[in-house]
Amino acid sequence: MRTFLRNLIFAAMALTVVVPGWVRGSEINTGLRGTVAIKGYDPVAYFTERRAVRGELTISHQWLGAIWRFSNENHKRLFSDNPVKYAPQYGGHCADGVALGFIVTDIDPEAWRIIDGKLYLNADEEAATDLEETEGQLERSKANWPRLRSKLLKQSE
């Protein structure tokens, strides 16, 4: 019952947040009105430090039309050499929301998982746990993403 209620609340949230934050022509989540990916957190730190770390305003890299911030120059270099390795899946949108079939842009950078070497961000810790522990949830997110990504790109044209 608790999961059902959470999913119902999540779906209602999506209706109000479905005006996604993305850079025109891109699926990258930049919040409702921004140009900075993943709320300014360093995507490389999730892998190297195993924690969420805010990036510095002065250390940034532009990729797919969004500004990515880093906590140090080495992380910036690692990302610019191989952004696909470090960028979050689904453009940084809530991975559990994608599994449920909708886009939620308001992610919590502290609610993350690395699964099979890929970074997944989520709206909250419960969503991150749901993505990781609910049987088939990750597979549903992978199956839903092409359709949702296409919708995002069409809306941004």
Side-chain angles (χ1 to χ4, degrees):
M1 183 67 171
R2 180 179 153 173
T3 300
F4 172 77
L5 288 175
R6 186 186 72 74
N7 289 348
L8 188 62
I9 291 167
F10 219 25
M13 254 180 43
L15 292 175
T16 61
V17 189
V18 83
V19 180
W22 70 88
V23 176
R24 189 164 180 69
S26 175
E27 73 269 17
I28 302 301
N29 181 0
T30 58
L32 291 177
R33 291 190 209 110
T35 57
V36 177
I38 62 174
K39 295 187 174 182
Y41 277 70
D42 179 342
V44 177
Y46 292 102
F47 294 90
T48 61
E49 298 181 34
R50 299 285 187 212
R51 63 187 182 98
V53 176
R54 283 196 180 274
E56 298 290 331
L57 290 173
T58 57
I59 307 173
S60 64
H61 175 75
Q62 192 140 359
W63 181 65
L64 290 181
I67 298 167
W68 298 79
R69 294 205 172 125
F70 305 92
S71 56
N72 62 61
E73 288 292 336
N74 185 49
H75 285 188
K76 176 183 173 181
R77 183 187 54 75
L78 288 168
F79 185 87
S80 62
D81 287 350
N82 192 357
V84 172
K85 177 178 179 177
Y86 296 105
Q89 300 302 292
Y90 317 131
H93 296 283
C94 175
D96 195 51
V98 171
L100 297 172
F102 48 81
I103 295 293
V104 176
T105 59
D106 191 20
I107 53 106
D108 176 357
E110 302 279 342
W112 60 279
R113 297 290 188 276
I114 293 178
I115 303 171
D116 296 329
K118 296 183 186 297
L119 174 61
Y120 297 91
L121 299 174
N122 292 279
D124 56 34
E125 187 55 37
E126 190 173 349
T129 299
D130 193 42
L131 178 76
E132 186 175 39
E133 295 179 359
T134 301
E135 188 174 331
Q137 198 73 337
L138 189 59
E139 290 75 18
R140 281 187 285 280
S141 70
K142 289 176 184 175
N144 286 339
W145 178 241
R147 176 182 56 80
L148 293 172
R149 180 180 182 269
S150 176
K151 202 179 219 183
L152 279 175
L153 293 175
K154 282 180 185 171
Q155 287 177 356
S156 67
E157 291 176 347

